[in-house]
Amino acid sequence: MVERAGTVKRARTSRAAGGDPELDLRELLAGLTAVRDGDFGTRLPEDGDGLLQEIATVFNGMVDQLSLFTSEVTRVAREVGTEGQLGGQAEVPAVSGTWKDLTDSVNAMA
């Protein structure tokens, strides 16, 4: 039921018939496990309703933020470390909290 970038991979669920809370939790667990293992192409379907839809929306937004941050840090590291271009800056819009601190640290280092 977890979607991966480039493919739409979804298992059948019983949401239409009242849903199966354990199946929904297993889907969330599969998504969390994929992200923990570095798969930022993982998405949860946002076609549910109520709390499940909110969780999927937040999860997908978090994965997008992680993916963007990772791409920017990788880009800056390549520019500075491999290409020798000093002053490269990571650009991660609307970042806050620890993500802002990490972005600022990467930029200070570059």
Side-chain angles (χ1 to χ4, degrees), residues 24-103:
D24 293 330
L25 289 175
R26 289 200 177 281
E27 179 179 5
L28 177 58
L29 178 61
L32 291 170
T33 301
V35 170
R36 179 204 63 196
D37 294 343
D39 179 1
F40 297 152
T42 297
R43 298 287 180 271
L44 296 180
E46 297 181 34
D47 58 354
D49 58 358
L51 185 58
L52 287 174
Q53 184 179 22
E54 289 180 49
I55 289 170
T57 299
V58 169
F59 177 89
N60 293 341
M62 177 189 68
V63 172
D64 290 341
Q65 187 88 16
L66 285 167
S67 181
L68 178 58
F69 181 78
T70 301
S71 294
E72 284 296 292
V73 169
T74 301
R75 181 184 60 78
V76 170
R78 184 185 65 248
E79 286 177 2
V80 173
T82 305
E83 299 169 8
Q85 297 175 358
L86 297 179
Q89 299 289 287
E91 296 177 25
V92 185
V95 67
S96 62
T98 300
W99 294 113
K100 182 174 181 350
D101 295 342
L102 286 170
T103 303

